[in-house]
Amino acid sequence: MKRNPVIPFAIIAVLGILTMIVLSVVGLNQYEDIQQAGEEGSQQEESGEGGGEEAASDDPEAIFQNNCATCHGGDLSGGAGPNLQEVGGRYSKDEIHEIIMNGTDGGMPGGLVSDSEADMLAQWLSEHQ
């Protein structure tokens, strides 16, 4: 009995395509979760919940808790995003500001906070060494 060599390759191709689809959906869901968390933080600030816009804009730790803690952990220990407990020992204030504003190729979206909030966050995070 002669075997058809195309069948194993077709099965592998289908499995590869299915894997790519699943990974794309999972990645998209994580991105949407991050965006939703950012939107909820903005809505809370606008409505006066969660410490209000004034308190958040003057307090880098509050800005972090409202916009970053979902991925980086409330204690900066990491989670979906990397551990930031000693980020100031790895990056300068300017480098941290750049990452906050522009995001990373690793999945962190940029622009979750205003430039002035990013500046306060960068200063605060650069002190964590």
Side-chain angles (χ1 to χ4, degrees), residues 4-67:
N4 187 344
V6 175
I7 293 175
F9 292 113
I11 292 171
I12 291 170
V14 169
L15 289 175
I17 291 169
L18 289 174
T19 301
M20 289 184 347
I21 291 170
V22 168
L23 292 175
S24 296
V25 169
V26 169
L28 181 60
N29 286 340
Q30 287 179 345
Y31 179 77
E32 289 173 349
D33 290 345
I34 291 168
Q35 289 235 309
Q36 183 179 9
E39 290 172 7
E40 288 173 0
S42 296
Q43 290 172 355
Q44 285 178 348
E45 287 177 6
E46 290 172 7
S47 67
E49 296 175 19
E53 188 173 328
E54 255 180 62
S57 65
D58 292 341
D59 180 8
E61 189 169 357
I63 296 168
F64 179 87
Q65 293 299 327
N66 288 335
N67 298 283

Side-chain angles (χ1 to χ4, degrees), residues 92-105:
S92 70
K93 176 188 175 209
D94 291 337
E95 290 171 322
I96 295 169
H97 185 273
E98 180 77 15
I99 292 168
I100 293 168
M101 291 306 296
N102 298 315
T104 66
D105 291 336

